[in-house]
Amino acid sequence: MQSPRGALVADFGSFCDEKGFNPDEEGADQEILNEKLRMIEEEWLQTPRQALEGKKPSEILDGGRLFPTKVETYKREAPKVGRNDPCPCGSGKKYKKCCGKAA
């Protein structure tokens, strides 16, 4: 049994074949290939597909994209509390003996 995400990836591959996109072209610049791929993905997202029961891929995908855009890194506001640092709750105990204790 194929997953829904796998069906989308397979359909995108066949769409690329229909458009004549070959990412393995000899001597092709990677930036140009990435731009072509992005343009083909945009077109694919808005094209009703028979393999997807006539639905547009953008209607099926949760985030609206097959390939994720740039991932944003989580930045901690406060510095990380070490195991042997004083507990930030103000008890005076080490973090590992207070709030950092495993239940």
Side-chain angles (χ1 to χ4, degrees):
M1 184 154 131
Q2 192 177 29
S3 71
R5 182 103 178 144
L8 287 167
V9 171
D11 185 61
F12 182 70
S14 64
F15 188 78
C16 288
D17 289 343
E18 292 169 15
K19 295 295 179 181
F21 177 72
N22 181 9
D24 299 324
E25 293 176 19
E26 289 289 324
D29 183 24
Q30 191 62 41
E31 285 187 35
I32 294 172
L33 287 176
N34 287 342
E35 182 63 24
K36 284 182 182 179
L37 184 64
R38 190 191 62 74
M39 290 172 48
I40 288 176
E41 181 189 15
E42 290 294 326
E43 184 179 348
W44 173 74
L45 286 169
Q46 301 307 320
T47 306
R49 302 291 294 165
Q50 183 178 1
L52 304 175
E53 299 169 355
K55 294 181 182 177
K56 295 178 184 177
S58 60
E59 296 170 353
I60 297 172
L61 288 167
D62 290 332
R65 314 255 349 139
L66 182 60
F67 302 113
T69 55
K70 185 178 177 184
V71 176
E72 224 174 283
T73 305
Y74 172 76
K75 293 278 188 175
R76 186 181 323 238
E77 291 180 19
K80 185 176 179 179
V81 179
R83 287 176 34 92
N84 291 314
D85 293 342
C87 192
C89 76
S91 68
K93 296 180 181 179
K94 288 185 178 184
Y95 178 70
K96 68 181 177 184
K97 296 281 188 177
C98 188
C99 295
K101 192 185 297 186

